[in-house]
């Protein structure tokens, strides 16, 4: 099929579209939700309940009640470690799935591998891609199953954590007056959780109603996260700013009901088919032999990252490029099949074929040809978060809905009455910001608290020249602390829970060992940390998506990636290799690289 593509012309088009969108302020273009704008962060879902501050001691404190806290808590409880306190800004467990209740929210990675601990909790998801209420309920199910509600601090923002070397414990302070200690401290604060607003002047001048998609105001819109129509919008004019993965999921629900609906687009997403379907419990019972979920996660990781295995258990749009790539390789003369340049070409061809198909899909669904043209994405599929939806494009056929394409420039300004695009004001009653979350900003700006290790050393200072860790999990000078995040580890972005599941197993194994051996402290040896950082740095760094890509949070908004940021790359041999390595590390039982004292 690539024979039919004019590759030179296509690359030229990609470059032109990218250049339109490059801007010198990069990620600084966005507006932080602070000061007068901090009301955008308020919890619309649950009231804050008064309570007494905590001043006691616990064995394990975990900052974050999303998947990271839940799965780590579960693995600790399985080992008999039950004195666990989970702290979260939200009013309940769920993390991302607590906050993101916008209509149509659902997982984009198959439920079977995205919902953790299915085997352990005996739960069978209802759909291949479960909707948000079901995922939130599953989070609560895990918490109940493992008795993690017992000692939680919800609606609580950690303000500082500080290591006390004399007493070998962490001091944890919060905005609710808590000042307690913990022998072990885990942090899983989520990579994308601090909402941001677009860099558009006039946001504060708007006199209508507005909110961010991660704080959906159902009181205003009517409806509910379960999918009831947003009936209060039937006589409203609404503008949605942003066309990322969130917008793609909520647009059909808004298009179906609003009197007038404007979708303000700067860069179109690539929107492949979703093909969601109910999960047949009989089929599930057949596949769910012991250990199935781990096998499925591993199989997906290999398929998604370009590896070759006989079967693709999940088999969806995430792995399609890989299959096209392998087909392209197989079609090469045998002598070329191991030539790296040919591999790169085969990958490029696979991507171009995929994106041509996605663009053709726009034409096949969207009736208005001018609108269809504007909805086409001109970049490599993995330049931006790939999206999958069966009703998004269809929404642009609704008479209520108008695409306000900004030709890469973005909404110009917000006025008291509405939004301005290309010099024209569109009056609206409500603006919904689907403008995403802080990425690549200062760590403190995203987490809201500093981590002080031995001798008052701050994590910000320790990581000033780049991240340092052993396995992305433990850090020298920060004893008994664990960081649940994907960098310097698998860095598997297509299935974040897989990274978490592995980190949780490692934490539980290490904490159990420390407790069993009466060790007061555990941290990586300096040489081990040095060697790990060196190994990470020996890889290609943060290469994908590359500089040719259209700007977005995947590539530092198209600005050069600072040298130290490359230390946030993953294991050089890729995610499946990391998972294999860390499994072996745990199984060996020698805890190589760690010092127990
Ligand atoms: P994104 O950061 O992906 O999208 C923000 C959107 O706002 C982009 O379309 C951006 O345009 C647009 N924007 C920014 N400034 C302007 C402006 N001035 N005028 C017009 N548009 C503007 O945020 P999302 O919340 O959509 O998604 C964030 C991430 O959350 C996803 O990438 C994904 O990882 C995750 N997610 C996962 C889901 C799932 O798994 N089911 C569902 C939803 C989100 P531009 O592209 O030009 O920058």
């Amino acid at each position: 099929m690539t024979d039919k593509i004019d590759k030179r012309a296509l690359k030229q088009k990609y470059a032109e579209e990218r250049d339109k969108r490059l801007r010198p302020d990069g990620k600084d273009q966005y507006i932080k939700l602070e000061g007068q704008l901090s009301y955008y962060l308020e919890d619309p879902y649950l009231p804050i309940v008064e309570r007494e501050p905590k001043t006691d001691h616990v064995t394990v404190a975990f900052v974050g009640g999303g998947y990271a806290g839940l799965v780590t808590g579960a693995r600790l409880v399985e080992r008999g470690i039950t004195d666990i306190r989970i702290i979260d800004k939200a009013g309940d467990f769920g993390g991302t799935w607590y906050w993101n209740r916008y209509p149509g929210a659902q997982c984009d990675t198959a439920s079977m591998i995205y919902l953790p601990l299915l085997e352990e909790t005996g739960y069978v998801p209802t759909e291949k891609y479960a909707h948000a209420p079901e995922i939130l309920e599953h989070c609560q199910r895990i918490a109940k199953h493992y008795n993690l509600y017992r000692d939680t601090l919800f609606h609580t923002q950690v303000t500082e954590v500080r290591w006390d070397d004399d007493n070998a414990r962490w001091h944890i302070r919060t905005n609710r007056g808590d000042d307690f200690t913990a022998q072990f401290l885990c942090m899983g604060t989520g990579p994308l959780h601090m909402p941001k607003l677009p860099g558009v002047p006039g946001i504060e001048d708007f006199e209508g109603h507005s909110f961010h998609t991660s704080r959906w105001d159902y009181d205003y819109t009517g409806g509910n996260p379960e999918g009831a129509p947003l009936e209060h919008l039937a006589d409203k004019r609404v503008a949605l700013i942003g066309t990322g993965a969130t917008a793609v999921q909520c647009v059909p629900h808004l298009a179906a009901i609003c009197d007038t609906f404007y979708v303000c687009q700067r860069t179109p997403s690539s929107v492949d088919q979703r093909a969601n379907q109910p999960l047949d419990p009989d089929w599930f019972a057949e596949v769910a032999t012991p250990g199935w979920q781990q096998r499925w996660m591993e199989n997906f990781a290999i398929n998604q990252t370009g590896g070759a295995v006989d079967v693709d258990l999940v088999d969806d749009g995430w792995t399609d490029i890989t299959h096209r790539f392998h087909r392209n390789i197989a079609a090469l003369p045998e002598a070329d099949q191991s030539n790296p340049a040919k591999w790169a070409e085969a990958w490029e061809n696979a991507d171009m074929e995929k994106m041509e198909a996605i663009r053709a899909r726009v034409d096949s669904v969207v009736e208005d040809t001018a609108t269809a043209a504007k909805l086409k994405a001109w970049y490599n599929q993995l330049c931006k978060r790939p999206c999958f939806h069966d009703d998004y494009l269809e929404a642009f056929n609704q008479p209520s809905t108008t695409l306000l394409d900004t030709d890469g420039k973005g909404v110009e300004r917000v006025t008291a009455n509405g939004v301005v695009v290309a010099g024209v004001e569109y009056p609206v009653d409500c603006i919904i910001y689907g403008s995403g979350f802080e990425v690549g900003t200062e760590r403190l700006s995203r987490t809201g608290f500093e981590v002080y290790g031995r001798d008052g050393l701050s994590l910000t200072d320790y990581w000033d020249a780049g991240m340092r860790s052993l396995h992305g999990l433990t850090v020298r000078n920060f004893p008994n602390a664990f960081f649940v995040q994907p960098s310097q580890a698998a860095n598997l972005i297509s299935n974040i829970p897989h990274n978490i599941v592995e980190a949780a197993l490692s934490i539980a194994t290490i904490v159990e060992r420390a407790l069993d051996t009466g060790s007061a402290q555990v941290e990586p040896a300096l040489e081990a940390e040095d060697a790990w950082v060196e190994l990470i740095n020996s890889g290609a760094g943060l290469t994908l998506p590359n500089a040719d890509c259209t700007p977005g949070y995947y590539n530092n908004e198209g600005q050069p990636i600072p040298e130290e940021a490359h230390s946030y790359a993953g294991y050089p041999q890729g995610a499946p290799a990391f998972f294999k390595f860390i499994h072996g590390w745990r199984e060996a039982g020698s805890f190589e690289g760690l010092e127990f004292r």
Side-chain angles (χ1 to χ4, degrees):
M1 177 185 165
T2 339
D3 323 341
K4 297 192 191 116
I5 301 174
D6 181 344
K7 289 176 62 176
R8 248 167 80 115
L10 190 55
K11 282 186 185 178
Q12 176 68 23
K13 171 77 174 160
Y14 283 9
E16 281 164 17
E17 293 292 331
R18 176 206 57 211
D19 291 350
K20 270 185 205 171
R21 292 168 171 83
L22 280 175
R23 41 189 290 170
D25 51 358
K27 64 183 181 319
D28 296 335
Q29 69 184 276
Y30 284 99
I31 297 175
K32 214 178 138 43
L33 293 177
E34 56 191 5
Q36 271 200 319
L37 294 172
S38 56
Y39 71 89
Y40 277 101
L41 293 174
E42 284 168 13
D43 183 351
Y45 312 123
L46 287 174
I48 296 176
V49 179
E50 284 308 313
R51 63 168 176 82
E52 290 300 310
K54 296 279 184 188
T55 53
D56 53 353
H57 178 78
V58 293
T59 307
V60 181
F62 199 110
V63 188
Y67 275 4
L70 287 164
V71 181
T72 307
R75 294 303 184 207
L76 288 165
V77 168
E78 282 172 349
R79 286 162 173 76
I81 304 157
T82 55
D83 183 23
I84 304 165
R85 174 172 295 156
I86 298 180
I87 309 125
D88 201 297
K89 283 189 297 195
D92 199 344
F93 284 108
T96 284
W97 300 100
Y98 177 86
W99 295 112
N100 287 283
R101 302 186 189 199
Y102 57 84
Q106 69 184 122
C107 59
D108 258 344
T109 304
S111 307
M112 291 86 83
I113 56 169
Y114 186 84
L115 272 62
L117 302 174
L118 287 176
E119 248 179 299
E120 291 79 350
T121 55
Y123 183 66
V124 180
T126 60
E127 298 176 285
K128 184 164 182 184
Y129 304 94
H131 280 77
E134 183 173 344
I135 305 176
L136 180 58
E137 199 183 317
H138 185 61
C139 291
Q140 294 160 345
R141 176 178 300 108
I142 294 170
K144 286 176 199 148
H145 188 90
Y146 291 96
N147 202 16
L148 297 173
Y149 276 106
R150 193 186 52 82
D151 187 9
T152 49
L153 301 181
F154 288 133
H155 281 142
T156 302
Q157 162 75 55
V158 170
T159 51
E160 181 188 290
V161 293
R162 193 176 279 276
W163 174 248
D164 169 357
D165 212 34
D166 295 337
N167 297 298
R169 56 189 50 191
W170 285 92
H171 285 263
I172 294 128
R173 297 195 177 86
T174 79
N175 67 339
R176 303 287 297 269
D178 306 300
D179 188 351
F180 61 94
T181 55
Q183 185 176 351
F184 301 95
L185 170 70
C186 311
M187 288 155 279
T189 49
L192 287 169
H193 86 277
M194 186 56 82
K196 65 186 187 208
L197 291 182
V200 176
I203 286 175
E204 288 168 56
D205 301 335
F206 183 58
E207 289 174 1
H209 196 72
S210 63
F211 56 88
H212 188 274
T213 48
S214 67
R215 304 288 189 275
W216 195 272
D217 188 349
Y218 282 103
D219 284 345
Y220 178 82
T221 64
N224 59 36
E226 284 73 31
L230 310 165
E231 77 272 13
H232 300 169
L233 298 182
D235 59 353
K236 297 280 190 299
R237 298 159 303 172
V238 175
L240 172 69
I241 299 188
T243 49
T246 298
V248 165
Q249 294 185 333
C250 66
V251 156
H253 296 261
L254 291 160
I257 192 101
C258 292
D259 174 70
T260 305
F261 179 38
Y262 299 115
V263 180
C264 305
Q265 170 178 278
R266 188 166 69 178
T267 310
S269 279
S270 72
V271 187
D272 203 354
Q273 65 157 1
R274 174 68 303 163
N276 197 13
Q277 55 193 316
L279 278 188
D280 174 1
D282 293 336
W283 166 83
F284 199 82
E286 253 174 57
V287 301
T289 53
W292 72 269
Q293 196 175 26
Q294 187 68 22
R295 285 197 301 279
W296 277 56
M297 285 194 300
E298 286 167 10
N299 180 271
F300 176 81
I302 296 171
N303 274 299
Q304 199 276 315
T305 55
V309 273
D310 292 342
V311 59
D312 182 352
L313 294 167
V314 169
D315 193 18
D316 68 3
W318 282 107
T319 54
D320 192 39
I321 289 195
T322 302
H323 299 319
R324 287 171 187 264
F325 164 68
H326 287 301
R327 283 198 294 272
N328 290 347
I329 292 283
L332 290 172
E334 211 172 315
D336 286 342
Q337 289 191 1
S338 48
N339 177 342
K342 294 286 177 190
W343 278 55
E345 196 184 337
W347 188 267
E348 183 180 86
N349 291 345
D351 197 307
M352 286 180 167
E353 289 162 16
K354 179 81 233 179
M355 289 301 285
E356 286 287 283
I358 289 175
R359 287 188 285 268
R361 186 169 174 261
V362 180
D363 284 327
S364 70
V365 177
V366 179
E367 288 156 11
D368 178 64
T369 47
T371 304
K374 290 171 187 160
L375 284 166
K376 289 180 187 172
W378 299 102
Y379 45 79
N380 294 332
Q381 195 193 21
L382 298 180
C383 280
K384 274 192 180 290
R385 167 60 148 66
C387 295
F388 308 90
H389 210 285
D390 295 336
D391 304 318
Y392 174 73
L393 294 170
E394 184 68 43
F396 293 93
N397 296 334
Q398 296 268 6
S400 63
T401 303
T402 305
L403 178 69
L404 293 185
D405 180 57
T406 65
D407 196 25
K409 296 181 189 66
V411 169
E412 228 166 85
R413 64 166 33 249
V414 172
T415 64
N417 299 319
V419 294
V420 178
V421 170
V424 179
E425 184 185 71
Y426 296 84
V428 291
D429 303 299
C430 176
I431 300 177
I432 303 173
Y433 292 103
S435 43
F437 304 85
E438 287 189 33
V439 177
T441 53
E442 295 292 320
R443 199 176 45 78
L444 274 185
S445 163
R446 284 173 285 125
T447 63
F449 66 95
E450 184 56 279
V451 184
Y452 293 101
R454 189 174 288 118
D455 300 324
L457 176 67
S458 75
L459 190 65
T460 303
D461 284 343
Y462 193 56
W463 283 0
D464 187 39
M467 180 178 172
R468 295 181 54 80
S469 79
L470 180 67
H471 309 157
L473 191 68
T474 55
V475 180
R476 180 76 182 173
N477 295 312
F478 296 80
N480 296 8
F482 301 92
F483 299 83
V484 185
Q485 55 78 52
S487 297
Q488 297 202 351
N491 218 8
L492 182 69
I493 302 305
S494 54
N495 190 20
I496 290 288
H498 194 172
N499 304 269
I500 290 172
V501 161
E502 292 295 332
L505 282 170
S506 298
I507 292 172
T509 311
I510 298 166
V511 169
E512 183 182 40
R513 155 78 177 221
L515 292 173
D516 284 354
T517 55
S519 307
Q521 300 194 24
V522 53
E523 69 182 302
L526 184 58
E527 314 77 65
E529 189 180 85
D530 280 343
W532 190 256
V533 173
E534 199 176 314
L535 174 72
I536 298 296
N537 290 342
S538 71
L542 293 174
T543 51
L544 251 182
N546 57 30
D548 299 336
C549 277
T550 191
Y553 79 82
Y554 271 23
N555 69 343
N556 195 29
E557 301 293 338
Q559 296 302 310
I561 295 174
E563 194 49 42
E564 68 276 9
H566 285 290
S567 65
Y568 288 83
Y571 191 64
Q573 282 79 39
F578 176 80
F579 292 138
K580 200 168 163 200
F581 161 80
I582 203 69
H583 177 79
W585 183 89
R586 285 193 303 266
E587 288 292 297
S590 55
F591 297 90
E592 199 181 330
L594 287 180
E595 289 176 355
F596 290 82
R597 286 190 285 274

